[in-house]
Amino acid sequence: MKQSILLGVLSLLFIQCISVKQKVKSTPKKTTETSEQTSATSKPKLVVGIVVDQMRYDYLTRFESKYGNGGFMRMIKEGYNCKNTHYNYIPTYTGPGHASVYTGTTPENHGIIANDWYDKFIKKSVYCAFDDRYASVGVEGEWAGKMSPHRMLTTTVTDQLRLDTQQRGKVIGIAIKDRGAVLPAGHAANGAYWFYGKDKGNWITSTYYTNELPTWVQKFNAADEAEKYLTTWNTLYDINSYTESDKDASSYEGSFKGKANAAFPYDLANLKDENGGFDILKATAYGNSLTTDFAIAAIQGESLGKDNDTDFLAVSFSSTDYVGHRFGVNSKEIEDTYLRLDKDLERLFATLDAEVGQGNYTIFLTADHAAVHVPSYLQDLKIPAGYFENRPFKKHLEDFLNTTYGSDQLIENISSGQIFLNHTEIKRLNLSATAIENALQRELLTHNQISKVYTRTAFLNSEFTHGIAATLQRGFNQKRSGDVCFVLDIATIPYSRTGSTHGSGFNYDTHVPLLFYGHGIQQGETLQRIKITDIAPTISALLEISFPNAATGNPIEMVLKN
């Protein structure tokens, strides 16, 4: 009996212990722990996408000792540095670059095959962002605002954000170049703004977005913010300390009209009348400063990052491209431009800290392409390089086809390394387009400045998986591209003998920076090869939204927390 009672008591105690344990397991964590979990898994209030036009990766390392702690180095030290990021298609131009960053795919799919290209259906050249169905807003009777993203065939990560948030998440695009604002902002953006340098130097837009400039833009323009930069452009620091670049006023640099040489200082107020008015700012470091001013005004004017739906600010710094084209990638001017851009980034990041809150926003920074060293400079160092002449090249091909097929009208257009055949003439003469492609391929390979040639027939019948052939094919759009694609020798460009350019599939054009920073981003770095098309899927994964509808890239998992 006593044993029975004892067993009963022990059973009750055991049941109570089990019950207490279950209660302990089901008790919510402390409030602080719950907040930490929410913070770690919630979405950022604002994403800022930064594209620096024509930025080589080595600008991060060449000028590192002169950067401060609040711009590039803040992102590098506290964020994630993808040190081996490349464009994976040809051609590496501004329009295709911006489209590829934001769509997560290449021209093969998004259709922006160049900045301008020959439209074989309407028989004329078209611009990647021009749209005559719309009017300029902010400037009267000018073509400058007649822009839209209609030639971009796929969605962007910014479009997907608008779709996912039922249009509550705002998307704003900003750049001095119209295409640098329009393409990243996507099809469904709340607004895109670009710089119009004639007259007063205002920021404008298109009726695609709105019929009237928002109050904050009107206020910015009315303040004549561009006027303060029509000053003397001199180096930020002692020019003798700029040991990371070539001598000032070298023979490899272009200059402004009205100035005998390319040497600091530049009196912009006196030079502006001969250089497009306020447009002169585009080719100086101050163009980036003005862009930063306007981006800060947008953050405040649009109340970005102020509610529970993620907003997106797409900013492109265009002046780095203008400076690179004019002065070259090894100039004192390009060094000063990046040192000043570093200060502008610090200002922008400080504004984000104050307006959105540190830890509440995510930034990525990359480039739309890089650039080649000035070939004449390389030649003087005995490094293989050269210049390609377009007009005699076209005349040679016309003569060849006339001799071979009895007509010099078989080519409609040559542009961006592509030859567009005249299929009406081919049909009239009852010729084979494939035979002409093959004949041109054989002839082009005899040219001493052309290294590779591929035909439309080859791209339609084969899938190339590596090398230049694969990068060409990713840039080849079946409807929009030409019939024969050719690749110039390394460091050979169709350009002036001063200044730098881009467009190839070689490392000097494809290798760009890629930095991530802020909410949801790990700290670290990698030398693993990353594709530019991986950016949009990475941001999509961070935001837990659908990938852009034709994305071919993959999320960079090592960048993301959790």
Side-chain angles (χ1 to χ4, degrees):
M1 183 71 175
K2 289 181 180 179
Q3 283 182 330
S4 176
I5 294 171
L6 181 61
L7 286 172
V9 170
L10 289 173
S11 297
L12 286 170
L13 288 172
F14 180 75
I15 292 168
Q16 286 177 337
C17 287
I18 294 295
S19 177
V20 168
K21 284 183 179 181
Q22 287 176 338
K23 285 180 181 178
V24 169
K25 285 183 179 180
S26 64
T27 300
K29 292 183 179 180
K30 292 179 181 179
T31 305
T32 54
E33 293 176 342
T34 303
S35 298
E36 287 173 3
Q37 273 196 328
T38 302
S39 176
T41 57
S42 63
K43 300 176 184 180
K45 291 181 176 295
L46 176 65
V47 175
V48 181
I50 298 173
V51 176
V52 184
D53 205 321
Q54 202 191 112
M55 184 175 183
R56 292 165 57 105
Y57 173 79
D58 65 358
Y59 291 158
L60 286 181
T61 54
R62 272 173 59 193
F63 309 137
E64 180 179 351
S65 64
K66 291 185 173 62
Y67 289 144
N69 292 320
F72 288 116
M73 298 311 297
R74 178 177 175 180
M75 294 193 74
I76 289 172
K77 291 178 179 179
E78 300 177 30
Y80 204 94
N81 184 2
C82 300
K83 303 167 80 170
N84 191 20
T85 301
H86 289 262
Y87 275 84
N88 59 339
Y89 65 84
I90 298 172
T92 44
Y93 295 143
T94 298
H98 283 80
S100 298
V101 167
Y102 281 85
T103 63
T105 191
T106 64
E108 176 184 14
N109 296 311
H110 63 59
I112 305 298
I113 63 171
N115 294 332
D116 307 87
W117 63 87
Y118 181 72
D119 188 322
K120 53 198 174 189
F121 299 102
I122 62 175
K123 308 298 183 185
K124 66 178 183 179
S125 182
V126 297
Y127 176 56
C128 64
F130 184 71
D131 193 339
D132 201 32
R133 297 173 298 175
Y134 299 97
S136 302
V137 178
V139 59
E140 294 293 331
E142 292 286 346
W143 64 269
K146 295 183 175 183
M147 303 291 163
S148 87
H150 75 290
R151 288 195 169 93
M152 184 166 60
L153 304 175
T154 65
T155 64
T156 58
V157 62
T158 45
D159 286 328
Q160 297 301 149
L161 176 64
R162 292 282 286 159
L163 290 169
D164 185 77
T165 61
Q166 301 302 313
Q167 296 81 58
R168 292 188 300 271
K170 283 187 177 180
V171 170
I172 303 293
I174 291 170
I176 278 182
K177 292 181 182 180
D178 47 53
R179 58 188 179 272
V182 169
L183 299 175
H187 302 273
N190 298 85
Y193 305 94
W194 50 96
F195 185 68
Y196 182 72
K198 295 180 181 178
D199 192 21
K200 290 177 61 180
N202 285 343
W203 292 84
I204 67 171
T205 190
S206 162
T207 52
Y208 178 86
Y209 304 99
T210 182
N211 291 320
E212 184 179 9
L213 289 175
T215 302
W216 68 267
V217 180
Q218 294 182 39
K219 182 179 178 181
F220 189 94
N221 287 339
D224 294 331
E225 294 292 333
E227 184 81 37
K228 69 183 180 185
Y229 293 114
L230 282 177
T231 181
T232 299
W233 180 22
N234 211 337
T235 53
L236 182 63
Y237 307 117
D238 180 357
I239 195 169
N240 294 314
S241 71
Y242 283 28
T243 55
E244 296 79 14
S245 47
D246 197 9
K247 63 183 180 181
D248 202 18
S250 78
S251 60
Y252 311 115
E253 300 175 272
S255 187
F256 293 108
K257 292 179 181 178
K259 195 172 190 306
N261 56 23
F264 282 105
Y266 296 91
D267 187 341
L268 302 180
N270 286 333
L271 291 169
K272 78 177 182 68
D273 289 343
E274 292 186 67
N275 294 274
F278 284 86
D279 273 343
I280 193 173
L281 295 176
K282 294 179 179 180
T284 75
Y286 297 137
N288 292 329
S289 299
L290 181 61
T291 302
T292 305
D293 295 342
F294 192 70
I296 289 171
I299 292 168
Q300 297 166 341
E302 295 285 350
S303 298
L304 298 179
K306 295 294 188 182
D307 58 28
N308 292 327
D309 291 297
T310 302
D311 297 324
F312 205 121
L313 176 64
V315 181
S316 181
F317 289 102
S318 308
S319 290
T320 42
D321 184 69
Y322 289 110
V323 173
H325 278 299
R326 186 178 297 268
F327 299 102
V329 305
N330 202 36
S331 62
K332 291 281 191 286
E333 287 78 3
I334 204 73
E335 179 168 358
D336 192 69
T337 296
Y338 276 90
L339 297 184
R340 289 180 180 274
L341 175 59
D342 184 56
K343 298 293 186 185
D344 289 325
L345 290 175
E346 184 173 359
R347 280 200 298 133
L348 178 60
F349 299 164
T351 300
L352 292 170
D353 289 342
E355 296 289 334
V356 185
Q358 191 168 358
N360 290 328
Y361 61 86
T362 304
I363 305 170
F364 70 81
L365 183 149
T366 189
D368 56 347
H369 53 75
V372 67
H373 270 285
V374 179
S376 56
Y377 170 71
L378 295 176
Q379 288 173 332
D380 287 345
L381 293 176
K382 301 180 181 179
I383 295 174
Y387 293 93
F388 185 80
E389 299 292 337
N390 283 314
R391 288 184 180 178
F393 173 68
K394 185 173 186 292
K395 179 66 167 58
H396 170 77
L397 291 184
E398 288 173 344
D399 290 345
F400 165 74
L401 292 173
N402 192 34
T403 300
T404 307
Y405 295 102
S407 174
D408 61 359
Q409 301 297 310
L410 294 175
I411 293 176
E412 283 189 348
N413 180 268
I414 302 177
S415 54
S416 300
Q418 298 187 43
I419 299 172
F420 293 80
L421 296 178
N422 184 342
H423 288 272
T424 301
E425 180 74 354
I426 291 171
K427 185 177 180 180
R428 185 184 72 81
L429 295 174
N430 197 28
L431 299 173
S432 164
T434 301
I436 295 173
E437 289 175 17
N438 293 334
L440 283 171
Q441 182 180 44
R442 290 190 296 271
E443 180 62 21
L444 287 167
L445 286 172
T446 67
H447 195 289
N448 62 5
Q449 290 183 304
I450 292 177
S451 62
K452 295 175 177 63
V453 184
Y454 297 90
T455 66
R456 167 176 287 274
T457 301
F459 284 149
L460 294 181
N461 294 330
S462 305
E463 182 178 358
F464 297 92
T465 57
H466 64 277
I468 290 293
T471 58
L472 274 172
Q473 191 168 41
R474 292 188 201 102
F476 183 87
N477 182 275
Q478 287 192 15
K479 290 189 70 172
R480 293 180 174 178
S481 295
D483 300 284
V484 179
C485 300
F486 59 92
V487 177
L488 300 180
D489 287 343
I490 293 177
T492 298
I493 60 174
Y495 202 65
S496 65
R497 291 187 172 270
T498 58
S500 302
T501 194
H502 48 86
S504 80
F506 299 114
N507 286 336
Y508 51 77
D509 281 339
T510 67
H511 191 191
V512 295
L514 176 56
L515 306 173
F516 291 91
Y517 171 87
H519 183 100
I521 302 300
Q522 296 276 21
Q523 191 280 326
E525 62 181 35
T526 182
L527 279 168
Q528 179 179 318
R529 192 177 181 96
I530 303 295
K531 302 186 298 294
I532 204 71
T533 50
D534 294 335
I535 296 173
T538 301
I539 297 299
S540 297
L542 173 70
L543 299 181
E544 297 181 336
I545 61 176
S546 296
F547 291 5
N549 59 16
T552 51
N554 295 297
I556 312 167
E557 290 189 57
M558 67 191 84
V559 165
L560 302 175
K561 289 182 179 178
N562 303 317

